[in-house]
Amino acid sequence: MPVLADSQPWIQWSWVRSHPGELWHDVAQHLDLTLIAVAVGLVISLPLALVVWRWRRWETPIYGIEGVLFAIPSLALFAFLIPITGLTSTTAEIGLVSYTLLILTRNIVTGLRDVPADVRDAAEGLGYGAGRRLLLVELPLALPTIIAGIRIAVVTTIGLVTIASLIGAGGGLGFLIQQGQQNDFKTQVVLGCLLSVVLAAVLDGLLVGVQRAVTPWVRRGA
Amino acid sequence: MFHFLGNVVDWFGNGSHWSGSNGVPSLLLGHVEIVVYSLLIAAVVALPIGLWLGHTGRGGFAAINVTNVGRALPAIAVLILAAQWLGIGRTPALVALTLLSVPPILTNCYTAIRGVAPEDKDAARGIGMTGMQILTRVEIPASIPLIFAGVRTAAVQAVATATLAGFVAYNCLGTLINEGVSANDHTELFAGALLVVALALITEYGLGAVQAAITPAGLRAGAAGRRRGGLRLRAADNPIVDPTAR
């Protein structure tokens, strides 16, 4: 990384005003990569979580494998994938999805386990089978914990997309940072960082809103 | 594939990769050094605050939220912004790593102390202990595993974030990965990644073993001490703390 000239302002606003398209493009790509990773992560985690919840003996192997993936620093994981999948968004996505797994699986399992036994009994008493009970009673009651997991997965992923695009795997705000370093232009470096922070904060806030909207009973204290 | 792995083995066998300022020992040392320093500073700052907030029960909102904010802050952004402010090299790496290590240590310490069973504290007060004695003889011993869990989380996170310090020209194991990317040298890239993963896993599972070893017998699940009414932990004994920095 070149030493950036100290004389440069942190953000040169005239550049920002003349390049809205470029900024938006990077933000949009960043969002795309993040949302795809969390969506794919959910699709994989839900069945894994159901297995752990239903058969406890699967907890140790599934959490164990996910835990090892989670413990690998992202830059190293991307580096492992580059010889195989190259500097592509596939490399980024494989890495990103693998980090969401532990977060999402654990939160889904915790949410399902916290469903009170008497609620489950009541559903059974009403003649609900296992499938209907899961869909209509247990998953909705687990929703606050599940959304809490999605929040963590989303903000974590946003930071990781920045790292992936900084080394050139997939697009996003890291690309802006890398451009700034190449051109010795502080504005791009600072904006790439700041927009990553803002994006994480905004999505986190939005998900808090979603959490409240879809689980009104939590706030009513029922 | 075997050809590639053979290259990686050769890379490790090449003596020139083991000497000089860009050799593996020097990069590993730089990596470990920045992690240890930042953890020490963060612990010195965060533990007294966590103990005090937990003991007095004040500032819980702040103690919990510092982690939520810390979690939402992308480590790479903190690191690079620090470099814009302080210049490249060791200083921004140390500042960023310390900043990111404070939240998990502080929150876990606060939660641990708050989670000590009220009846244990009442009993301590009943036999005439002062506030300070309750803290040092009841609350801290009962909280050691959870407090350590916070330090462990911060350590694992710091090892990962230190990898990124190569981006601000600090010499660490991440330097090998960055060089490998820019030179399109997959062998060096892979070798660097292997070293980083080894260090990360040793940190995670090594500190996990330490945590198990320092957990007082009375606090272990199903321990006789618990049945006899020994110290109990109220807070989740399995805190979900999710480092942003991977």
Side-chain angles (χ1 to χ4, degrees):
Chain A
M1 177 170 148
V3 183
L4 295 169
D6 279 336
S7 54
Q8 287 189 39
W10 281 65
I11 296 177
Q12 190 183 309
W13 291 103
S14 58
W15 184 87
V16 177
R17 277 191 296 273
S18 57
H19 295 77
E22 185 182 330
L23 288 174
W24 177 244
H25 177 76
D26 290 336
V27 170
Q29 271 193 329
H30 205 106
L31 266 177
D32 263 358
L33 284 169
T34 304
L35 297 181
I36 291 172
V38 176
V40 173
L42 265 177
V43 168
I44 300 176
S45 299
L46 187 61
L48 287 178
L50 291 178
V51 167
V52 171
W53 175 61
R54 181 76 180 72
W55 297 284
R56 227 175 223 278
R57 69 195 148 95
W58 284 98
E59 178 171 321
T60 310
I62 290 180
Y63 281 7
I65 294 169
E66 290 180 344
V68 170
L69 282 176
F70 196 74
I72 298 176
S74 62
L75 190 58
L77 187 54
F78 295 135
F80 277 136
L81 294 166
I82 288 171
I84 305 163
T85 45
L87 280 173
T88 59
S89 44
T90 313
T91 296
E93 284 297 357
I94 295 174
L96 299 172
V97 168
S98 73
Y99 289 115
T100 65
L101 296 182
L102 182 69
I103 303 171
L104 293 172
T105 311
R106 266 175 68 151
N107 275 61
I108 298 171
V109 170
T110 307
L112 287 173
R113 281 190 184 150
D114 285 350
V115 172
D118 45 353
V119 171
R120 206 168 290 143
D121 287 348
E124 211 167 310
L126 286 171
Y128 280 41
R132 217 151 63 101
R133 200 174 66 201
L134 178 68
L135 274 181
L136 298 179
V137 180
E138 286 157 331
L139 277 177
L141 284 176
L143 216 46
T145 316
I146 296 175
I147 297 178
I150 296 177
R151 271 177 67 193
I152 300 168
V154 166
V155 294
T156 305
T157 306
I158 287 176
L160 300 180
V161 172
T162 308
I163 297 168
S165 50
L166 194 51
I167 57 171
L173 290 163
F175 180 70
L176 192 63
I177 298 174
Q178 192 235 325
Q179 289 285 297
Q181 289 177 341
Q182 234 164 48
N183 306 334
D184 194 7
F185 185 38
K186 200 170 189 168
T187 301
Q188 285 176 314
V189 175
V190 171
L191 276 178
C193 294
L194 284 183
L195 286 174
S196 305
V197 174
V198 170
L199 205 56
V202 168
L203 282 187
D204 196 38
L206 276 177
L207 281 168
V208 173
V210 170
Q211 193 173 358
R212 292 202 177 143
V214 299
T215 56
W217 61 86
V218 174
R219 257 194 312 166
R220 268 191 252 117
Chain B
M1 187 67 194
F2 285 109
H3 178 66
F4 175 71
L5 291 179
N7 287 345
V8 174
V9 172
D10 287 345
W11 190 94
F12 280 106
N14 185 335
S16 70
H17 294 139
W18 292 88
S19 60
S21 66
N22 246 353
V24 171
S26 154
L27 295 177
L28 177 65
L29 192 70
H31 204 113
V32 172
E33 192 184 279
I34 200 99
V35 168
V36 170
Y37 284 156
S38 57
L39 279 179
L40 280 178
I41 302 173
V44 166
V45 173
L47 287 179
I49 300 177
L51 291 176
W52 185 72
L53 292 179
H55 180 68
T56 58
R58 271 179 249 172
F61 182 77
I64 301 288
N65 272 282
V66 71
T67 280
N68 289 336
V69 172
R71 188 158 54 200
L73 271 182
I76 183 73
V78 175
L79 187 66
I80 292 183
L81 283 177
Q84 299 307 306
W85 176 39
L86 302 160
I88 55 174
R90 175 190 300 263
T91 317
L94 190 63
V95 168
L97 259 71
T98 306
L99 264 177
L100 293 166
S101 297
V102 166
I105 298 179
L106 175 57
T107 304
N108 267 56
C109 180
Y110 169 83
T111 317
I113 298 284
R114 284 308 291 158
V116 174
E119 51 271 35
D120 292 341
K121 284 184 280 187
D122 284 347
R125 203 167 290 122
I127 60 169
M129 283 195 195
T130 64
M132 200 43 151
Q133 284 172 326
I134 293 176
L135 179 67
T136 56
R137 294 189 197 171
V138 178
E139 288 173 325
I140 293 179
S143 308
I144 283 290
L146 262 183
I147 294 176
F148 190 81
V151 176
R152 176 186 169 203
T153 303
V156 173
Q157 178 181 296
V159 167
T161 310
T163 313
L164 305 175
F167 286 116
V168 297
Y170 176 75
N171 273 353
C172 58
L173 293 177
T175 306
L176 293 172
I177 298 178
N178 287 347
E179 278 177 5
V181 170
S182 41
N184 202 21
D185 179 347
H186 288 179
T187 309
E188 186 180 13
L189 185 74
F190 204 85
L194 276 179
L195 289 166
V196 169
V197 168
L199 184 61
L201 293 181
I202 289 171
T203 309
E204 165 98 1
Y205 296 102
L207 292 182
V210 174
Q211 188 182 335
I214 63 167
T215 301
L219 289 178
R220 291 192 191 125
R226 177 177 293 217
R227 284 196 297 275
R228 285 202 307 269
L231 297 173
R232 284 164 297 262
L233 279 179
R234 268 285 172 76
D237 38 14
N238 197 10
I240 302 183
V241 193
D242 306 88
T244 316
R246 304 305 323 163

